[in-house]
Amino acid sequence: MKSLRSKVLWEIWLPVLLLVIWWFASANSSSFYFPPLDTILTEFKALWVFQNVPTEIVPSLARLGAGFAIAIVGGVAFGLLLGSVRALEEAVRPIIEFLRATPGVAVLPIMMLLLGIGTSMKIAIIALVSAWPVLLNTIDGVRSVEPVLRDVSRSYRLSSWDRIRHIVLPTAMPQVFAGARTALAIGVVAMVISEMVGTPGGIGYFILNSQREFDIPAMWTGIIALGIVGYLLNKLFGLVENRVLSWHKGMMAHHEGGGS
């Protein structure tokens, strides 16, 4: 308990210090664009303590969850295929690199033409830009399987599904999660960008609409709410990662202990 308390205190001391500095530095601010933090927090309490959660945050999280899930499933599935068939991966690698280097903002007009300006377009944008880190990391993870393990699986005549389930996926899983963590951060950015166009609803739309209406304190509260949501999502992802990869972390700790 003491170590957990120390860890939490060490993690929050710098944000708290920055908030204190912001509070005093902006206390007497008369700038229209940089209002006092006291004003922003008062507005934040009025807008984001339950009031805007169902209308802005829930739709954003629903789109992000759907797009992120599609990116994970598609990235892992195609990553397993391309990582296992080197000739196929070499053939499609130029296409992958071309599409990966294309910013999500650049394909936004195309998505709007194909899917309209509703929820489907926003989910598609999130899935598209989030899939690449998962795909590439899965390919690298599949390639990292020891040749000895592959030979043993062939010797025991394991089926393709058993090899994937018991050898390939466990070996690739740490890199898959590394790609998924990057994909989550990219997905949040894509979520905000996609919500700034099209139908109303979502944190991105709220921030842009507040700016258009010159409601600057509300705009700042939207940015703070977005930061809090991103932080909590990262923490939740870390808990899931620690739970799923507990065997891997334990194995690494064992090897380090044996090495010392």
Side-chain angles (χ1 to χ4, degrees):
M1 181 63 69
K2 185 177 179 180
S3 61
L4 178 61
R5 187 184 302 115
S6 300
K7 183 178 179 180
V8 171
L9 290 175
W10 180 253
E11 186 171 339
I12 68 172
W13 75 267
L14 183 56
V16 171
L17 177 61
L18 292 176
L19 283 175
V20 172
I21 295 174
W22 185 5
W23 179 285
F24 286 104
S26 64
N28 298 318
S29 174
S30 58
S31 171
F32 178 76
Y33 299 103
F34 299 99
L37 180 58
D38 179 40
T39 303
I40 296 174
L41 294 181
T42 301
E43 188 80 0
F44 182 90
K45 182 179 179 181
L47 292 175
W48 297 101
V49 179
F50 304 119
Q51 178 177 326
N52 281 3
V53 171
T55 59
E56 311 296 346
I57 292 181
V58 172
S60 292
L61 291 180
R63 294 171 190 133
L64 177 63
F68 186 65
I70 294 172
I72 294 294
V73 173
V76 171
F78 283 104
L80 289 173
L81 175 62
L82 297 179
S84 302
V85 184
R86 183 178 291 273
L88 180 61
E89 190 270 337
E90 291 176 352
V92 302
R93 172 66 74 164
I95 300 175
I96 292 175
E97 293 298 335
F98 173 80
L99 294 175
R100 184 175 70 92
T102 305
V105 178
V107 300
L108 186 57
I110 300 175
M111 289 294 184
M112 293 173 65
L113 288 174
L114 295 176
L115 301 174
I117 58 175
T119 300
S120 299
M121 176 272 294
K122 298 171 184 180
I123 293 175
I125 286 290
I126 295 170
L128 177 64
V129 302
S130 303
W132 304 117
V134 181
L135 173 64
L136 296 175
N137 276 48
T138 302
I139 293 173
D140 291 340
V142 173
R143 296 279 172 80
S144 68
V145 176
E146 293 289 340
V148 175
L149 291 177
R150 295 184 184 275
D151 294 339
V152 170
S153 67
R154 294 191 188 97
S155 300
Y156 282 94
R157 297 182 179 178
L158 295 179
S159 65
S160 298
W161 169 245
D162 285 335
R163 285 201 300 269
I164 292 173
R165 180 183 177 186
H166 298 292
I167 296 177
V168 176
L169 265 181
T171 303
M173 197 60 70
Q175 287 183 259
V176 171
F177 267 91
R181 183 181 287 275
T182 303
L184 180 61
I186 296 174
V188 172
V189 176
M191 175 194 76
V192 174
I193 293 174
S194 65
E195 288 176 346
M196 287 184 172
V197 297
T199 55
I203 303 176
Y205 177 83
F206 177 87
I207 294 173
L208 182 62
N209 191 57
S210 298
Q211 182 266 331
R212 286 172 174 171
E213 295 179 352
F214 296 98
D215 191 352
I216 303 303
M219 182 193 74
W220 279 105
T221 65
I223 295 173
I224 294 174
L226 178 62
I228 293 173
V229 168
Y231 174 80
L232 293 178
L233 286 174
N234 184 66
K235 281 297 180 184
L236 179 61
F237 184 89
L239 293 176
V240 174
E241 182 180 17
N242 289 334
R243 181 69 179 271
V244 175
L245 296 183
S246 59
W247 61 271
H248 181 262
K249 297 180 184 297
M251 183 174 64
M252 293 299 294
H254 174 74
H255 286 321
E256 290 176 1
S260 60

